C-alpha cells in the first residue's frame, strides 16, 4: 500500500454496472462562508447498488449527501463549484425544479421524523401536495410503500392511527415508506440506524438489501461493520476530500491508501 500522492484525484476501481452511473459528482467543491468543506470530490454512484460514505466526524459526509438533493440550498452563505449530474442532467443547472429533484432523491434522516399525522397520511402527504386525490391511487401507494418498507403486516390494521405511536424502528421504516412513495431513483440515508437498537437496525439493513436494485442507495454510516455488511461500494472521506473509492470488499480488505487502512481498522476516527 502506498500513499505517494496523498490527495490525488480519486482512483476508480469499481466494476461498472451496464446501466451506468445513477449520479456523477465531478470536481465538486463546497464552501460554508469562508470555510471550504468539500475539496475536488469526484465520485460515480452506481445504479441499483448501495454506496456507503464513511469517514471521521466532520469530514463532510452529510454535506456531500445533502448536496445530492440540494438540501444545502437552505444554508446561508453557501457556495459550490463543480457538477452533480443525474442521468446526465445537471442538478445545479439553471431552471431546475428543486422540489421535483427531491422527489427523485428521497431522503431518510438519522432520527426518524414522521409527521404528526396518521400512518396513512404520512405516506400520502407528498402525493396530496401534488394534487393526487383519487382514493384508489392513494390506497395502492400506501400498500406498495408499506410492503416495500416491510411494515405492511405490522400496521395494515391501524393505518389511521398516529404515526407517533409506532416504535422507533417502525417509525424509521415509515420514513423509508414515505421516501419510496413517490418512487424515487435514489435513496439518500444519513446514518439511518444510529438512533435504533440492534434488532431494529438489522431490519433496516435487510430492507436496504431488498430495496437496492429498485433504487440506488447512498448511505452515510459510522459503523464499519454496517458498511461492510450492506454496501457494494464504499467511499472514504477525510477532511472534505474523497480519499478512496472502490468495491467495499477491496476498501475493507485491501485498500490502496494507508489512511483508508488506518480508518477501517479502527486506528483513528
Ligand atoms: N451549516 C453549516 N454551516 C457551517 N459549517 C458547516 C455546516 N454544516 C457543516 N459544517 C461544517 O462542515 C464540515 C463537514 O460537516 P458534515 O456535517 O458534513 O460532516 P460529517 O462527516 O457528516 O460529520 P458527522 O460524522 O459528525 O455527522 C464540518 O467542519 C462542519 O462543522
Ligand atoms: Mg453527518
Amino acid at each position: 500500500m502506498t500513499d505517494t500522492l496523498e490527495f490525488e484525484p480519486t482512483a476508480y476501481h469499481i466494476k461498472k454496472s451496464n446501466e451506468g452511473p445513477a449520479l456523477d459528482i465531478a470536481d465538486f467543491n463546497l464552501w460554508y462562508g469562508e470555510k471550504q468543506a468539500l475539496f475536488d470530490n469526484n465520485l460515480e454512484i452506481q445504479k441499483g447498488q448501495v454506496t456507503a460514505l464513511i469517514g471521521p466526524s466532520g469530514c463532510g459526509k452529510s454535506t456531500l449527501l445533502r448536496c445530492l438533493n440540494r438540501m444545502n440550498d437552505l444554508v446561508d452563505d453557501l457556495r459550490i463549484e463543480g457538477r452533480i449530474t443525474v442521468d446526465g442532467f445537471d442538478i445545479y443547472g439553471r431552471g431546475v425544479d428543486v422540489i421535483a429533484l427531491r422527489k427523485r432523491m428521497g431522503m431518510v434522516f438519522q432520527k426518524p421524523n414522521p409527521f404528526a399525522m396518521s400512518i396513512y397520511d404520512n405516506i400520502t402527504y407528498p402525493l396530496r401536495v401534488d394534487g393526487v386525490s383519487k382514493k384508489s391511487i392513494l390506497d395502492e401507494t400506501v400498500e406498495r410503500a408499506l410492503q416495500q418498507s416491510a411494515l405492511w403486516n405490522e400496521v395494515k390494521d391501524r393505518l389511521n392511527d398516529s404515526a407517533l405511536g409506532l416504535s422507533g424502528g417502525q417509525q424509521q421504516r415509515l420514513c423509508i415508506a414515505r421516501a419510496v412513495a413517490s418512487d424515487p431513483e435514489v435513496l439518500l440515508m444519513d446514518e439511518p440506524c444510529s438512533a435504533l437498537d440492534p434488532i431494529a437496525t438489522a431490519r433496516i439493513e435487510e430492507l436496504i438489501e431488498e430495496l437496492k436494485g429498485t433504487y440506488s442507495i447512498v448511505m452515510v454510516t459510522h459503523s464499519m461493520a454496517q458498511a461492510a455488511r450492506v454496501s457494494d461500494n464504499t467511499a472514504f472521506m477525510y477532511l472534505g476530500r474523497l480519499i478512496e473509492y472502490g468495491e467495499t470488499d477491496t476498501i475493507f480488505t485491501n485498500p490502496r491508501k494507508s489512511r483508508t487502512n488506518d480508518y477501517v481498522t479502527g486506528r483513528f476516527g
Side-chain angles (χ1 to χ4, degrees), residues 30 32-33 35 37-38 55-64 66 72 75-76 78 110 190-191 220 222:
L30 178 145
Y32 289 115
K35 187 174 169 285
L38 298 177
S57 187
C59 71
K61 304 177 296 295
S62 298
T63 297
L64 182 60
R66 287 197 301 261
N72 281 330
V75 178
D76 285 340
L78 181 117
Q110 188 166 1
D190 198 345
E191 301 185 49
V220 171
H222 269 124

Side-chain angles (χ1 to χ4, degrees), residues 148-223:
Q148 280 185 297
S149 64
L151 194 56
W152 176 249
N153 287 337
E154 285 160 70
V155 302
K156 61 176 190 278
D157 300 321
R158 51 191 280 210
L159 294 175
N160 293 318
D161 291 1
S162 170
L164 303 180
L166 297 172
S167 72
Q170 289 174 327
Q171 287 188 9
Q172 194 62 309
R173 278 181 280 145
L174 180 64
C175 292
I176 293 173
R178 192 174 62 195
V180 299
S182 50
D183 204 21
E185 285 149 52
V186 180
L187 282 177
L188 307 172
M189 301 187 170
D190 198 345
E191 301 185 49
C193 302
S194 66
L196 306 180
D197 65 38
I199 292 171
T201 295
R203 296 294 307 263
I204 302 282
E205 288 184 4
E206 278 167 27
L207 188 54
I208 290 171
E209 192 69 37
E210 281 161 30
L211 290 172
K212 80 176 199 188
T214 308
Y215 307 106
S216 311
I217 299 175
V218 188
M219 179 181 62
V220 171
T221 179
H222 269 124
S223 161

